Amino acid sequence: MQTLKLIIIFFVSVLIFSLITYMKTLSAAGSPDLTVAYPLSFSPSTVQPGGSITVTWTEKNIGYGGAGSYRVGVYLGVSEYGVEYLLGSFQRSGLPAGASSTYTATLTIPSSVPAGQYYVVVWIDDTQVVAESNENNNRGSSTPNKVTILPPPKLTVTVKHADNSPASGAKVCAGSTCGYADSQGSITFTLPKGTYTVNAEKSYYVSGTTITYRGQATITLDSDKSITLTVMPTQGCFILRKFSLD
């Protein structure tokens, strides 16, 4: 009797498992399966934050059902399929079963991305709104190729008076980023690539009067650069410097 019960339990278990497998097969038969086809390409291979990268990829639906609307994200990954840094995203209206579409996009590298080497990863349906027969093949990678992100360029500004003496302590601003010059009149900024208006200002107090020296320059920063700004008095007069005779 006990043996008969065990046999019945066994066959019932097999039947339930078979039914579950069959239902999954029926469901998958009409489900989409979104994926990113190999290869995924990009250029250039080296770029600085603030620079651009152009990526080309193909989206495919290898399932038996059409996919509704979904989002595609383009990322930089530390690992082969990593998605640490989002470069941009695109909304799609859908993709029929068996269909594919190729896209090219130019994206800006955010200043928040540290220098290093990264895989370019395209994640189709990255918000995971489409129910698919396979949810584990939605990411495409640029492997074995990586993009190299260089450190952002540095701008060194040296502030001097008309007599070539350093304007130590001068306030210097490159765009909205400001700081104060050291004892040699110099300051270094780390900035994204771009065009900046650089302003320098130093005030002196003489006999109760404030005399302000200013200088300005506009520069395009696409690599490390050094400039010298000469500050002149805005009131049309010069400060007499103190000196002693031995």
Side-chain angles (χ1 to χ4, degrees):
M1 191 67 174
Q2 184 67 27
T3 302
L4 180 61
K5 286 182 179 180
L6 290 174
I7 293 173
I8 292 172
I9 291 172
F10 172 76
F11 278 106
V12 169
S13 299
V14 170
L15 179 61
I16 292 173
F17 177 79
S18 298
L19 285 172
I20 292 173
T21 302
Y22 177 69
M23 294 301 294
K24 287 183 176 180
T25 302
L26 286 179
S27 175
S31 298
D33 185 8
L34 298 172
T35 190
V36 178
Y38 183 85
L40 183 160
S41 61
F42 65 88
S43 66
S45 59
T46 302
V47 64
Q48 288 178 321
S52 296
I53 182 173
T54 299
V55 184
T56 298
W57 70 95
T58 299
E59 300 168 19
K60 298 182 72 175
N61 182 356
I62 59 175
Y64 294 97
S69 61
Y70 59 89
R71 196 184 85 159
V72 179
V74 181
Y75 295 82
L76 294 182
V78 175
S79 59
E80 185 176 6
Y81 292 97
V83 288
E84 282 79 11
Y85 300 99
L86 176 65
L87 301 184
S89 61
F90 307 91
Q91 194 67 35
R92 309 291 190 223
S93 59
L95 193 62
S100 64
S101 295
T102 299
Y103 299 92
T104 297
T106 299
L107 305 135
T108 301
I109 304 298
S111 58
S112 58
V113 178
Q117 290 190 313
Y118 299 89
Y119 294 97
V120 179
V121 177
V122 174
W123 185 1
I124 187 171
D125 189 31
D126 65 343
T127 55
Q128 298 178 295
V129 297
V130 178
E132 303 176 53
S133 58
N134 184 357
E135 298 285 0
N136 299 315
N137 61 349
N138 289 46
R139 299 184 191 182
S141 173
S142 62
T143 185
N145 301 313
K146 294 182 181 182
V147 60
T148 299
I149 307 300
L150 298 173
K154 293 182 178 181
L155 172 65
T156 298
V157 182
T158 300
V159 186
K160 294 185 175 183
H161 297 100
D163 63 0
N164 212 39
S165 61
S168 59
K171 182 179 181 181
V172 184
C173 294
S176 60
T177 304
C178 299
Y180 292 89
D182 61 18
S183 60
Q184 302 302 311
S186 295
I187 183 171
T188 299
F189 299 97
T190 300
L191 301 165
K193 292 172 63 175
T195 299
Y196 296 89
T197 298
V198 183
N199 290 286
E201 180 180 295
K202 177 68 183 286
S203 294
Y204 293 91
Y205 301 93
V206 179
S207 301
T209 300
T210 300
I211 301 178
T212 302
Y213 285 61
R214 289 190 176 97
Q216 185 182 87
T218 300
I219 60 102
T220 297
L221 186 66
D222 49 18
S223 59
D224 291 353
K225 183 170 291 188
S226 297
I227 65 169
T228 299
L229 273 183
T230 300
V231 289
M232 303 291 289
T234 57
Q235 291 89 344
C237 60
F238 291 89
I239 294 175
L240 295 176
R241 296 181 178 277
K242 291 184 178 180
F243 62 93
S244 59
L245 295 175
D246 294 330

